Amino acid sequence: SATTVAIAATGATFVNSSRSWALQVVSVAGANVLRGISVAAAVGTVTVAGLPSAAPARTFVVFTAHLTAVNDTDQICKRTFRGAVTNPTTLDFTRGNGAGGVCVNAPIDELAWERVELPTGALVQSVTVTHAANSATGSGAIATAVDPTRSVVFMAGQGQGGQSFGESNFSGNDIIGAVQGVASVAGTTVTVARPASNLGSASFTPFVVEFAP
């Protein structure tokens, strides 16, 4: 509702222990926000298609996800996703960075997403940044340099550390740093670093959002 945020926790580890959550609710005049919850089988890509059209140059997505107890093993590659605005009516959420097997074998209980279309005057640019195996940084280029005094850069996947998640093929264990990036923009260059862990290959889709003056 307009005054309530719901947080759902599943699994004995979360339900039977105390947790604290820090939330930010942001209101932007003139924005158009579309929300949904997707449920999927054990797949590598969740596609949400047939949405009302939104202008990609003013649109980004944020989301959270949790898995079922089926194949609930500790591989981090199955637990986080990379979110992207594919076209005016479609969102895609991918995991495993091209790997199959244990990286995609757990069904998805809920993937809760919000697609945000900002009002005219804003600019949203995204680029896919890839990290080669055991690489700690990667970069990509956006078309237009932005004003840093009214711009932010973030990934769509939300969790520990905010909007920082992408996807990785690292399946050794649950080291979260393998899928967590720190994004920055300088001119038209967007850089994503993995300062905590460079295990496996990874991909991120940072959104560079420039708000209207």
Side-chain angles (χ1 to χ4, degrees), residues 42-131:
V43 295
T45 300
V46 178
T47 297
V48 181
L51 302 175
S53 185
R58 294 187 280 114
T59 301
F60 63 88
V61 64
V62 292
F63 70 95
T64 55
H66 68 80
L67 310 182
T68 70
V70 176
N71 293 323
D72 187 19
T73 49
D74 66 357
Q75 290 86 7
I76 194 62
C77 58
K78 74 173 65 175
R79 298 181 178 277
T80 67
F81 296 76
R82 177 174 61 88
V85 178
T86 309
N87 60 47
T89 62
T90 306
L91 307 173
D92 278 309
F93 305 92
T94 56
R95 60 177 169 176
N97 206 36
V102 296
C103 289
V104 301
N105 69 352
I108 302 156
D109 256 357
E110 289 184 318
L111 195 155
W113 51 265
E114 293 182 320
R115 189 191 69 175
V116 181
E117 183 183 29
L118 295 173
T120 300
L123 176 64
V124 177
Q125 303 176 83
S126 64
V127 60
T128 298
V129 175
T130 60
H131 287 203

